[in-house]
Amino acid sequence: MKRVLVHLPLLATALLVAPAPHARAADDGAPTPVPVVTVSASATTSVPNDRLHAWLRAEADHTSAAQAAAEVNTRVARALPRLRSLPDVHVATSGYATQQIVEKGKPSRWRVVQTIKVEGSDFAAIGDAAGRLQAEEGLALSGISFGLSEELKRRTQDAITQQAIAAWRARAQSAAQGFGASGWRAGRVNIQTGEGGRPYPMAARADMAMAAGAAPPPVPLEAGSTDVTVNVSGEAILEPARPR
C-alpha cells in the first residue's frame, strides 16, 4: 500500500493579514478591509518506478574517419532491430559525433561515437539485451536511470490532489478560527505538482568491463521509487466575526 504524507509545516506557512485588492481604507467611509490569510499545504507519496532508461554507446577509433564511421554504423545497425524487438520499448539514436584525435608523437586518428537510448517497462529484458549487446556487438552501457511513466505520474497526482486540497482547507479553517473569524472563503489558489528530476544517464560500471575486453556480467538493476508531490497554496478570505 502506498503511504501518502500530508505536510502542514507551521514555519513554511505564511499567515499574512492584508486588505483585499478591492477594499478601500477605512478612513474614507468604506467598509473595514477584509483580512486575507495565505496558506500552504502539500501531499506526497512514494511510487515505485515503472520505466527504465538505458544509454548504449558505439565507439570506434581509426586512422580513417570513414572506417571509424563504418564500424560504428554497422554496430548500431545490428543493435537497433534487436532492441526494437523487446516488449513495450522505445528506441532512439542520438549524439552522433566525429572527432579527430591528435597526440604528440602519434599518428592522428578519428573517433566516431553514437548513442542509443532505450526506454521501457520490462527491466529484465532490457538489462539482458544490454548485456548481450556489450558482449556481442562491442557496445558500452554508458548509463542507466529509472523514472515514472507519464500515465502513472498523472494517476498519482490525481490521486493525491484531493488530499492536498483537503489539507489546505483544514489549514485555512484553523487560521480562520485563530483569527476569530466567523468563516472564510477561498481566494486565489494555486495547485502545483512535482516529482523527481528527469532521467539522465548515470555512469554504468559495465564500461570498465568493456575497457578490459571482458564480457560484462548481467546488468544489476534496482528500480527504486520516486516521490510525487502536490502543493496547494493560496488565499483564504476571512469573514468578520459576528457581533454578539
Side-chain angles (χ1 to χ4, degrees):
M1 175 180 291
K2 300 177 184 174
R3 293 190 305 170
V4 177
L5 304 179
V6 177
H7 300 284
L8 298 173
L10 181 60
L11 295 179
T13 302
L15 303 179
L16 306 177
V17 179
H22 58 275
R24 300 179 181 176
D27 56 6
D28 64 358
T32 303
V34 178
V36 177
V37 180
T38 300
V39 181
S40 64
S42 65
T44 299
T45 186
S46 184
V47 184
N49 292 317
D50 67 336
R51 300 297 284 182
L52 166 64
H53 305 260
W55 288 261
L56 292 161
R57 186 180 73 248
E59 181 176 331
D61 282 17
H62 203 279
T63 55
S64 165
Q67 182 62 36
E71 292 181 15
V72 167
N73 295 347
T74 299
R75 292 177 190 172
V76 171
R78 287 199 298 254
L80 289 176
R82 297 175 63 173
L83 293 170
R84 292 194 186 105
S85 67
L86 300 178
D88 186 30
V89 71
H90 175 74
V91 181
T93 58
S94 64
Y96 196 104
T98 302
Q99 179 184 9
Q100 186 177 24
I101 308 297
V102 179
E103 295 178 328
K104 186 176 181 180
K106 296 182 180 180
S108 63
R109 66 186 190 278
W110 294 88
R111 176 173 297 161
V112 177
V113 179
Q114 186 172 24
T115 299
I116 305 173
K117 180 183 177 182
V118 186
E119 176 188 348
S121 59
D122 193 330
F123 300 166
I126 295 175
D128 179 69
R132 291 180 180 277
L133 288 172
Q134 288 179 94
E136 299 169 10
E137 300 295 346
L139 299 186
L141 180 61
S142 57
I144 54 175
S145 183
F146 296 90
L148 301 178
S149 63
E150 288 299 320
E151 179 183 358
L152 178 57
K153 182 167 60 175
R154 283 194 300 269
R155 287 204 316 265
T156 304
Q157 290 170 347
D158 291 344
I160 64 174
T161 292
Q162 293 303 317
Q163 297 176 51
I165 292 174
W168 182 86
R169 292 178 61 86
R171 193 64 170 176
Q173 178 66 29
S174 176
Q177 292 175 351
F179 280 101
S182 62
W184 64 277
R185 57 188 173 87
R188 290 174 296 184
V189 180
N190 295 318
I191 299 177
Q192 296 180 323
T193 59
E195 52 124 351
R198 293 184 177 181
Y200 62 94
M202 301 178 64
R205 296 180 62 183
D207 279 349
M208 298 173 60
M210 288 297 299
V219 180
L221 300 173
E222 179 59 46
S225 60
T226 296
D227 286 344
V228 178
T229 301
V230 174
N231 299 297
V232 181
S233 62
E235 300 172 341
I237 302 173
L238 306 185
E239 301 292 341
R242 296 186 180 92
R244 297 181 179 179

